[in-house]
Amino acid sequence: MEDVALPEASERQRLEECVKEPIRTPGRIQSHGVLLAVDPVTFEITTASENAAEWLGRSLTELGSPTIEWTVAAQTNGDPVRVELAGRSFDAVTHASPDRILIELEPVSGSPDLPNPSVVGAIRTLGMIADAEQLRQAAAEEVKRITGFDRVMVYRFFADGHGEVAGEACEPDMDSYRGLRFPASDIPQQARSLYLTKISRAIVSTSDDGTALLSTDAGAPPLDLSEAELRAVSPHHLQFMRNMGQASTVSFSLIHDQRLVGMITCAHRTTRRMPILLRRALEVLATQLTLQLSALESIAHLRRDLEVRERRSALLGELPPADDALLALVHNGTALLELVGADGAVIALDGVSRSIGEAPLGDRSLLLEAAGIEPFETHEVSRTHPALSTLTPGFAGLMVVPVAGHGVLLFFRREVTQVIRWLGDQTASNRETPLSPRNSFSEWRQSVQGMAPAWGRTVEEARDLGRDLARALDRGRESRLAQLALVDHLTGLHNRRSLERALVEAVARGDEGTLLFIDLDRFKSINDRHGHETGDAVLREVGRRLARSSRGSDIICRLAGDEFVILSAGTSADEGQAFAERLVQAIDEPIDTDRGAMTVTASCGIVPLDGSRSPMSLLDAADAAMYRAKNAGRNRTAR
């Protein structure tokens, strides 16, 4: 399930309001640290946090810290360096901007200076896990073990922006949030953009309103703190955290293809500061986790694609080349529905339609006309296509899959009541105002009706099915046309073109055998006296008698009119003679027609296959032998 139902107006209003907050330029930093902005040319400190106001307007060299001067000169962008200033130890981080250099100073706490060695061990442990769900849960447990925070959550985000707590480790006395969803407005778009440029974000205290930034130039634009470790926090977000019972948090971005696909969030109920070197180490873990999750997702997609292709090939490979392809799909209806995860379908191909599985019971022609042949899908048809919903009672999911040049497939999913588990009541009763954060984050369940499970990846899979089905039907049509080009339409026997091809191949191979040329005696009189319909009936019966009297390997051809030719490979001259006499006798038997019994005789010429002669000269020789039989009195054979 990738879409959720929320009150659209209030959710949109919260998202719009969040955009107005200047979160990149708040004009404040978190008060546990110090920020200085230096002119890169004069090295004058042009901006300082209020807790370092005494350095404002002075030269960087006056700080009396050669190490700080070195970090600025060496441009150690983002890399922490231990420095001493005014008798205190700090971790210094510098950032270069077009017109200023930012220096952030975080005081060294009593925590270990270096990343816990268990970060490396955690990365190794996580690297052994081959299941995405298990990996997210294990990541939460490992990060909690390393950091000691009360709760660690691993989020994953869906296409519409809402998220889910996909992994969690927390203290025993805390309610679990695992499996709960949260709306997109909890992490609005501009905040997500920041998480793309700054992989970690530490908020040390939710009771800290921050320290103002002072500048030597009152008219200067506010500093862009997008890359800053100490950037102050939105008041709205601080209240959000307090309502969740959080005093401190540290978050790590999970980024894939420039998209925020998830996060690791560490939360503590009392103020807790994570050393910057540990944050940097956990940034590596977060990056590794993202790569591993992406690889697992790609592997899962490849496996599914392979399975779907195999199942699709098995389904379409059984299609007959004739017009009953529709019946074959109906016969294999269960496999077809399982392929796209549908409850039912309507198959409309080349002007004929059938329903399979659980499909709407109304007039199929009206449904097909209303659905059309343009591809689309919906899992809440009553909202997106109200006119169609009246034709599909009980169904909320509809997918239209065109079969180019042949028709369309309609797939249906029944309406189901879905229960969504939310991180807090999403209604207005759980907020002070529509724009306020939720007061409670206890699990809240929402029942959603009028929807079916979203189609997801099956949309493209179904369209591939439609394209493959169209190609299969095209091949079947081409095969039938090719077959018709080699078949006599009246008798179903080979035609002249087919015979000539077979004769050329037989001569080229040097086959031995016999060529028989058969012509019906005085057949024109039957057409003249009884009509062409009767004549055609006689020709069809002669064809059937020739087929019954011949071997399966013999090629029986209606050459034209009342002329037939049989290519009998592997027969000797004597065998060919006996074969011809049987055929003449078989034809001489009375033939029942609508105009009564008809009797017709035949003359047959016999020539042996000869590799030294061309196919056409063999056919001419057989024709000449047939005329010798006619001149000798008809109803006989001649060589």
Side-chain angles (χ1 to χ4, degrees):
M1 180 180 65
E2 294 193 359
D3 295 297
V4 294
L6 284 172
E8 292 185 6
S10 56
E11 175 71 356
R12 184 169 56 251
Q13 187 181 8
R14 284 190 291 274
L15 288 169
E16 291 172 352
E17 192 65 24
C18 289
V19 173
K20 300 175 183 178
E21 284 196 282
I23 62 173
R24 292 179 180 268
T25 57
R28 307 178 72 83
I29 65 167
Q30 297 180 60
S31 57
H32 68 279
V34 174
L35 184 141
L36 305 173
V38 179
D39 185 303
V41 177
T42 66
F43 289 98
E44 177 190 356
I45 299 173
T46 59
T47 301
S49 54
E50 198 170 31
N51 54 7
E54 66 271 21
W55 300 107
L56 188 62
R58 299 169 66 178
S59 172
L60 182 66
T61 58
E62 294 183 51
L63 292 178
S65 175
T67 309
I68 292 180
E69 295 179 43
W70 174 81
T71 63
V72 172
Q75 297 184 351
T76 59
N77 289 343
D79 293 328
V81 177
R82 181 62 49 83
V83 301
E84 299 294 326
L85 181 63
R88 299 178 62 191
S89 296
F90 293 88
D91 286 320
V93 176
T94 62
H95 310 278
S97 66
D99 59 350
R100 277 173 282 193
I101 298 173
L102 303 187
I103 306 169
E104 295 185 87
L105 302 172
E106 291 190 33
V108 175
S109 66
S111 302
D113 292 339
L114 297 176
N116 191 317
S118 60
V119 173
V120 175
I123 292 175
R124 289 175 180 164
T125 298
L126 296 177
M128 301 298 292
I129 299 175
D131 176 83
E133 182 178 353
Q134 294 176 14
L135 179 58
R136 290 186 177 96
Q137 178 58 29
E141 294 170 359
E142 289 292 331
V143 173
K144 184 180 187 308
R145 179 181 62 81
I146 293 166
T147 64
F149 274 63
D150 289 334
R151 187 194 303 272
V152 175
M153 296 172 286
V154 177
Y155 302 153
R156 67 167 173 166
F157 296 121
F158 296 89
D160 65 352
H162 89 280
E164 177 190 34
V165 181
E168 180 198 51
C170 63
E171 292 298 306
D173 62 335
M174 302 176 75
D175 292 336
S176 174
Y177 294 157
R178 188 180 182 191
L180 302 187
R181 303 290 180 103
F182 53 87
S185 60
D186 278 6
I187 308 175
Q189 187 55 51
Q190 66 165 344
R192 294 177 192 236
S193 297
L194 271 176
Y195 282 121
L196 290 176
T197 58
K198 183 79 175 65
I199 195 170
S200 68
R201 167 67 160 148
I203 300 174
V204 172
S205 175
T206 56
S207 61
D208 177 21
D209 293 329
T211 298
L213 297 179
L214 308 177
S215 176
T216 56
D217 182 0
L223 282 178
D224 185 344
L225 300 180
S226 300
E227 300 284 344
E229 302 287 337
L230 297 172
R231 177 171 51 85
V233 187
S234 153
H236 179 91
H237 187 61
L238 287 175
Q239 185 60 52
F240 182 96
M241 292 174 60
R242 288 194 290 267
N243 289 0
M244 285 193 76
Q246 298 172 346
S248 297
T249 62
V250 183
S251 298
F252 301 91
S253 306
L254 305 182
I255 302 169
H256 178 63
D257 286 343
Q258 297 303 308
R259 293 182 300 109
L260 188 68
V261 297
M263 292 177 67
I264 302 172
T265 294
C266 310
H268 208 63
R269 289 173 287 188
T270 58
T271 300
R272 186 179 183 87
R273 185 153 60 89
M274 185 184 297
I276 189 168
L277 286 177
L278 181 54
R279 300 203 302 268
R280 290 292 185 266
L282 290 175
E283 288 176 3
V284 176
L285 183 147
T287 301
Q288 180 63 31
L289 176 63
T290 307
L291 291 173
Q292 193 172 343
L293 285 170
S294 300
L296 290 176
E297 182 181 350
S298 297
I299 291 170
H301 287 171
L302 288 172
R303 285 175 175 166
R304 175 167 175 81
D305 288 345
L306 179 60
E307 177 191 357
V308 168
R309 282 199 298 270
E310 289 176 347
R311 292 166 62 188
R312 188 165 63 234
S313 296
L315 176 68
L316 300 182
E318 298 177 2
L319 283 184
D323 293 331
D324 52 357
L326 176 85
L327 296 179
L329 287 174
V330 172
H331 178 72
N332 292 310
T334 300
L336 175 60
L337 295 178
E338 288 177 350
L339 193 60
V340 295
D343 295 313
V346 169
I347 308 171
L349 298 176
D350 298 321
V352 182
S353 68
R354 292 285 296 274
S355 298
I356 59 174
E358 298 181 55
L361 299 176
D363 189 325
R364 270 202 307 268
S365 61
L366 290 177
L367 178 58
L368 287 165
E369 182 180 0
I373 61 172
E374 293 300 318
F376 78 86
E377 75 285 338
T378 177
H379 65 281
E380 42 184 338
V381 67
S382 61
R383 183 180 68 84
T384 59
H385 299 76
L388 275 172
S389 68
T390 62
L391 301 173
T392 57
F395 295 89
L398 170 62
M399 179 163 50
V400 177
V401 179
V403 183
H406 296 277
V408 70
L409 305 176
L410 307 184
F411 292 105
F412 304 94
R413 282 181 176 174
R414 283 203 167 276
E415 176 183 335
V416 294
T417 299
Q418 301 181 50
V419 177
I420 304 172
R421 300 170 58 225
W422 285 105
L423 184 60
D425 186 345
Q426 302 297 311
T427 64
S429 62
N430 194 28
R431 300 177 188 269
E432 297 296 333
T433 71
L435 300 180
S436 300
R438 299 189 292 285
N439 294 321
S440 169
F441 289 84
S442 298
E443 179 177 340
W444 179 72
R445 298 194 175 207
Q446 178 189 26
S447 294
V448 181
Q449 296 180 327
M451 298 173 65
W455 294 101
R457 284 178 55 82
T458 58
V459 172
E460 191 54 43
E461 294 168 358
R463 290 175 183 170
D464 287 341
L465 169 67
R467 287 187 284 266
D468 287 353
L469 176 57
R471 285 192 285 265
L473 293 173
D474 287 342
R475 287 194 299 270
R477 179 182 290 171
E478 292 167 0
S479 175
R480 290 193 299 277
L481 291 174
Q483 184 179 10
L484 289 174
L486 300 174
V487 173
D488 174 60
H489 73 279
L490 178 64
T491 62
L493 301 175
H494 292 272
N495 62 12
R496 185 185 188 102
R497 181 180 178 186
S498 179
L499 172 70
E500 290 175 350
R501 178 185 294 181
L503 196 55
V504 167
E505 292 173 354
V507 170
R509 289 192 301 266
D511 291 349
E512 295 182 353
T514 307
L515 190 66
L516 310 181
F517 198 118
I518 302 165
D519 184 84
L520 302 185
D521 299 326
R522 299 189 176 93
F523 176 74
K524 183 175 181 299
S525 64
I526 294 179
N527 279 336
D528 292 343
R529 292 178 58 189
H530 302 289
H532 285 281
E533 288 187 5
T534 300
D536 288 348
V538 170
L539 291 174
R540 283 193 291 269
E541 178 58 26
V542 168
R544 285 191 287 268
R545 292 181 181 184
L546 293 177
R548 287 196 297 268
S549 301
S550 302
R551 303 172 305 172
S553 60
D554 294 335
I555 295 177
I556 308 165
C557 162
R558 180 184 173 218
L559 195 64
D562 58 350
E563 296 176 335
F564 297 83
V565 174
I566 298 178
L567 173 60
S568 182
T571 55
S572 64
D574 291 340
E575 289 170 338
Q577 178 67 46
F579 182 24
E581 290 174 357
R582 288 200 307 274
L583 295 175
V584 170
Q585 291 175 359
I587 294 171
D588 193 26
E589 297 294 327
I591 298 173
D592 292 330
T593 71
D594 292 341
R595 304 296 294 271
M598 301 288 165
T599 301
V600 64
T601 61
S603 300
C604 179
I606 312 164
V607 296
L609 293 181
D610 184 351
S612 64
R613 305 174 69 175
S614 70
M616 290 308 300
S617 66
L618 284 172
L619 201 56
D620 290 341
D623 182 41
M626 178 272 295
Y627 274 107
R628 287 195 291 272
K630 281 188 179 293
N631 293 334
R634 298 185 176 85
N635 195 26
R636 66 193 63 214
T637 66
R639 299 186 183 181

